[in-house]
Structures are given as structure tokens and as C-alpha cells.
Amino acid sequence: MTIKDTAEEWEVRATATPFVGNKTSVRTDDVVMPDGSVARRDYQVHPGSVAVVALDEQDRVLVLRQYRHPVRQKLWEIPAGLLDVPGENPLHAAQRELYEEAHVKAENWRVLTDVYTTPGGCSEAVRVFLARDLSEAEGERFEVEDEEADMELARVPVDELVQGVLGGDLHNNCLVVGVLSLLAARAGDGLDALRPAEAPWPARPFEA
């Protein structure tokens, strides 16, 4: 048996969108179960996101500390952002986020992994990139607002982040997945064997 996620779509008898927000919405679907019964499923409709493990020559990862109101914590995270435009190239979005949040550019890009953050209750799909050969970006810094105005920036050794993840001190989904995927890639075929930055992404199809 091949261990691989597969596309499938069960019949939806009725659907409604009781809430529409600025970036996401909530949808209610009446879904036909395998035994013929109908179950109601509520979930957040999300445009998708990108995140970046930016690794420098000293084996440090660029991280940001930002307040997250739903969990009432300041979390250490990797640069990330929404796919604001339908069909947007995720690499271009990741490059934009790295520039806007850290004023950094990278010459070497690979795909670390693709994940669904909360598939039982949200349609969000995230592509996590690995960015290397970092340098300071040119031009003016992006003007931040709201929570981002209080954001802190640091470069932390990979080993220290791993300890924080396994010790229960770091909780951001993309940071956890990204850092542990980096370790797995190194222990496997190496970072240069990772998928290219423009690899297909069925969860969020895009144009090159």
C-alpha cells in the first residue's frame, strides 16, 4: 500500500456561509456519509498561506516574535503570510513576506513541506519554503501596523529551536513543522534534494 493522501470529495446536499470576514469565512455543509446519513460540518474557509525557514550561513533561522490574540500569547514564528490573490505563485508570496517582515532576500529557494494546519476545521493549506543564501534586501523597509508594529526579530541556532520545540516552549505550527522538516531533510537525502521552489501544489494550484 502506498502511503499518500488522495483527492476525494463527498456529496454536499446543502451549503451556507453564515459568516464572512475580511480574509476568511465560515461555511456550513451538509455532507453525505458512507452509510447514507447526512452530517453537518462547520469549517473556516481560508485562502492558504506560505511560510519561510530562512537559514543563514551560521546555521541560524530567522524568527519573529508576535502577539497572537486567539491564544493570548506572544509566539516565536517564522516569516509567513496569506496568499492574498487567488492563483498567486506561492514562491512570489514567500519572497514578499520575507522582504516585508525581515527586510531580507534569498538566492536559494526549495520547498520543505506542504501541510494542512487544521484539516478537521479549516481549509488552510500552507507551503513551507527553505530559503538560503540570505542577504539584506534593498530599498525602504515595509511599513508595519497593528500586531506587526510590536514584532521582534532574531536569528536563532537550529539546535536551539529544536530544543524549544521538543521542550514545549515553541508552539507555532509553521515553525515546528519547518524546523523539524529541516532536520529530516538533512538526515535524509540532503537539502539540495528537496523539491524545487516551483513544485506543483495541488492544494493551491498556481501559475508559474
Side-chain angles (χ1 to χ4, degrees):
M1 181 177 65
T2 301
I3 304 299
K4 182 178 180 180
D5 297 335
T6 56
E8 186 167 338
E9 187 167 353
W10 292 1
E11 180 186 353
V12 175
R13 291 278 174 85
T15 187
T17 306
F19 170 79
V20 177
N22 186 31
K23 297 292 185 181
T24 67
S25 60
V26 173
R27 182 176 297 164
T28 297
D29 288 344
D30 291 340
V31 185
V32 179
M33 298 291 111
D35 64 359
S37 63
V38 176
R40 179 157 291 179
R41 295 290 178 260
D42 302 316
Y43 59 99
Q44 182 185 18
V45 179
H46 195 286
S49 307
V50 291
V52 185
V53 174
L55 184 68
D56 70 15
E57 294 181 353
Q58 299 179 49
D59 207 43
R60 301 175 302 177
V61 173
L62 195 155
V63 291
L64 311 160
R65 189 168 183 243
Q66 184 172 342
Y67 176 66
R68 294 301 187 182
H69 187 69
V71 296
R72 307 301 199 273
Q73 288 192 358
K74 272 192 171 182
L75 301 181
W76 284 104
E77 308 178 351
I78 56 177
L82 296 175
L83 290 168
D84 294 311
V85 181
E88 182 177 16
N89 187 306
L91 173 60
H92 299 166
Q95 291 169 333
R96 180 188 67 234
E97 293 300 329
L98 186 60
Y99 169 78
E100 291 183 355
E101 296 192 349
H103 203 65
V104 166
K105 64 180 180 179
E107 299 300 325
N108 189 322
W109 290 83
R110 297 275 180 169
V111 175
L112 261 179
T113 189
D114 300 322
V115 294
Y116 292 113
T117 54
T118 318
C122 180
S123 67
E124 182 181 18
V126 181
R127 169 155 282 190
V128 183
F129 289 91
L130 173 65
R132 292 177 290 168
D133 298 336
L134 308 182
S135 62
E136 190 78 5
E138 300 172 355
E140 296 183 2
R141 286 186 173 273
F142 183 75
E143 186 174 344
V144 296
E145 59 184 11
D146 300 329
E147 290 91 344
E148 292 183 351
D150 188 51
M151 203 161 51
E152 302 171 48
L153 177 65
R155 296 193 183 206
V156 181
V158 172
D159 290 345
E160 188 174 332
L161 292 176
V162 172
Q163 291 173 5
V165 169
L166 299 181
D169 296 323
L170 299 173
H171 307 90
N172 174 262
N173 181 290
C174 292
L175 184 149
V176 172
V177 170
V179 168
L180 297 186
S181 294
L182 174 63
L183 283 193
R186 282 177 166 172
D189 295 331
L191 301 185
D192 290 331
L194 289 166
R195 286 175 292 161
E198 299 274 9
W201 189 17
R204 293 293 185 274
F206 63 92
E207 295 182 6

